[in-house]
Amino acid sequence: MNGNKVKVDCCEVNIIHEDIVKKVRENMPDEDLLYDMADFFRVFGDSTRVKILHVLFQSEMCVCDIAALLNMNQSAISHQLRVLKGARLVKNRREGKVVYYSLDDEHVKQIFDQAMAHLKHK
Amino acid sequence: MNGNKVKVDCCEVNIIHEDIVKKVRENMPDEDLLYDMADFFRVFGDSTRVKILHVLFQSEMCVCDIAALLNMNQSAISHQLRVLKGARLVKNRREGKVVYYSLDDEHVKQIFDQAMAHLKHK
DNA sequence: TGAACATATGAACATATATTCACATGTTCA
DNA sequence: TGAACATGTGAATATATGTTCATATGTTCA
């Protein structure tokens, strides 16, 4: 008896295993948290930002040095640093005209390592 | 003497700290690997996929149950499961007409936990 | 075999997003 | 103060991506 088929009002989807669905639904995290997680990961989902983070793993750096290193113009880097800062992944400090960026998170490295492990494993 | 200013040919960016840039450049991972990392993270950067993964943390599930659980149509879920499978994050097995999906990775949970820690920390 | 059902998939559409360009802001130093 | 320089940012553009719709595929069972 693992569940009758039931029409859901909104979108004509059959539920085959009603008991499992009910159980899982009760244990789902808060909707907002799931959105925040997706937003957080989206920040890593761009190669320019991944490169910037890798650079900052190695050394604090100013904007124009990063731009030169990645062969991109300063504006593009600045835009992406803004995104990274918005996600609280980097912080910056000003020294005269130069702004230095560095990592502002203790989890990023571990997340990267896990991802690396995944990519290299299979 | 930490570096003369040098014009880079391609995009008019000044290098302020030539020594640091040189050092970091030598230690950068392979270009392809960085692209793969971004691709990998991009998979997590969508709330539907995040939800699906959370569902599968709790239980193996068939497509239509996931669709009902997330209040989305079957097609959307199927498309996203394809993406997740392409990233080798989920696997599936067929049992008659029903296809069951489950996690196919030991790193995802840890990556999610790190992300959660980041989001909750500050 | 053919109807019913679960899932997969191509095309179309709407939306999101990265980069570039032009220019604004803020700092130093003569 | 004004020139030079490093960085920030709004607008525009091109591209990528998620969802829907319609339909195809594959399975079961009468």
Side-chain angles (χ1 to χ4, degrees):
Chain A
M1 306 278 126
N2 52 349
N4 301 322
K5 293 178 186 178
V6 175
K7 285 284 179 187
V8 168
D9 48 327
C10 80
C11 45
E12 299 161 22
V13 173
N14 297 317
I15 295 179
I16 299 182
H17 311 88
E18 203 176 353
D19 47 350
I20 295 181
V21 171
K22 196 184 168 203
K23 195 166 194 172
V24 173
R25 179 174 276 129
E26 287 166 359
N27 292 327
M28 283 293 281
D30 189 38
E31 180 92 354
D32 290 338
L33 181 61
L34 295 173
Y35 276 99
D36 289 344
M37 286 204 55
D39 284 341
F40 177 67
F41 284 122
R42 196 175 300 126
V43 176
F44 296 88
D46 174 79
S47 60
T48 298
R49 289 192 291 267
V50 166
K51 287 177 189 173
I52 291 175
L53 289 171
H54 261 291
V55 164
L56 297 182
F57 283 151
Q58 301 180 55
S59 172
E60 175 188 67
M61 272 207 171
C62 73
V63 179
C64 69
D65 281 352
I66 297 174
L69 193 48
L70 304 190
N71 262 308
M72 296 179 66
N73 68 46
Q74 173 270 323
S75 179
I77 301 300
S78 187
H79 276 295
Q80 297 304 350
L81 283 169
R82 195 178 195 226
V83 174
L84 291 169
K85 198 180 178 191
R88 306 189 322 262
L89 296 176
V90 305
K91 59 180 188 285
N92 56 9
R93 68 184 177 85
R94 180 154 218 141
E95 198 169 286
K97 286 177 290 188
V98 181
V99 178
Y100 292 92
Y101 282 82
S102 59
L103 289 181
D104 185 27
D105 186 283
E106 68 273 30
H107 306 104
V108 183
K109 192 78 170 69
Q110 295 170 67
I111 290 175
F112 267 55
D113 289 343
Q114 291 292 326
M116 203 75 90
H118 172 84
L119 291 173
K120 288 187 175 175
H121 190 275
K122 296 189 195 174
Chain B
M1 307 297 125
N2 51 348
N4 298 324
K5 294 178 185 179
V6 174
K7 285 282 179 188
V8 168
D9 46 329
C10 79
C11 43
E12 299 161 23
V13 173
N14 297 319
I15 294 181
I16 298 181
H17 310 88
E18 204 176 354
D19 47 351
I20 296 181
V21 170
K22 196 185 169 203
K23 197 166 196 174
V24 173
R25 180 173 275 131
E26 288 167 358
N27 292 328
M28 283 292 280
D30 188 38
E31 179 92 355
D32 291 338
L33 182 61
L34 295 173
Y35 276 99
D36 289 345
M37 287 205 54
D39 284 342
F40 178 67
F41 283 122
R42 195 176 300 128
V43 176
F44 295 89
D46 173 78
S47 60
T48 299
R49 291 192 290 266
V50 166
K51 287 177 189 173
I52 291 175
L53 290 170
H54 261 291
V55 165
L56 297 182
F57 282 153
Q58 302 181 54
S59 173
E60 175 189 67
M61 271 208 173
C62 73
V63 179
C64 68
D65 282 352
I66 298 174
L69 193 50
L70 303 190
N71 263 307
M72 296 180 67
N73 68 46
Q74 171 270 322
S75 178
I77 301 300
S78 188
H79 276 296
Q80 297 304 352
L81 283 168
R82 194 178 195 227
V83 174
L84 291 169
K85 198 179 177 190
R88 305 188 323 260
L89 295 175
V90 305
K91 60 180 187 288
N92 56 8
R93 69 184 176 84
R94 181 154 217 141
E95 198 170 286
K97 286 177 292 189
V98 181
V99 178
Y100 292 92
Y101 281 84
S102 59
L103 289 181
D104 185 28
D105 187 283
E106 68 273 30
H107 306 106
V108 183
K109 192 78 171 67
Q110 296 170 65
I111 291 175
F112 267 55
D113 288 344
Q114 291 293 325
M116 203 76 89
H118 172 83
L119 291 174
K120 289 186 174 174
H121 191 274
K122 295 190 195 172

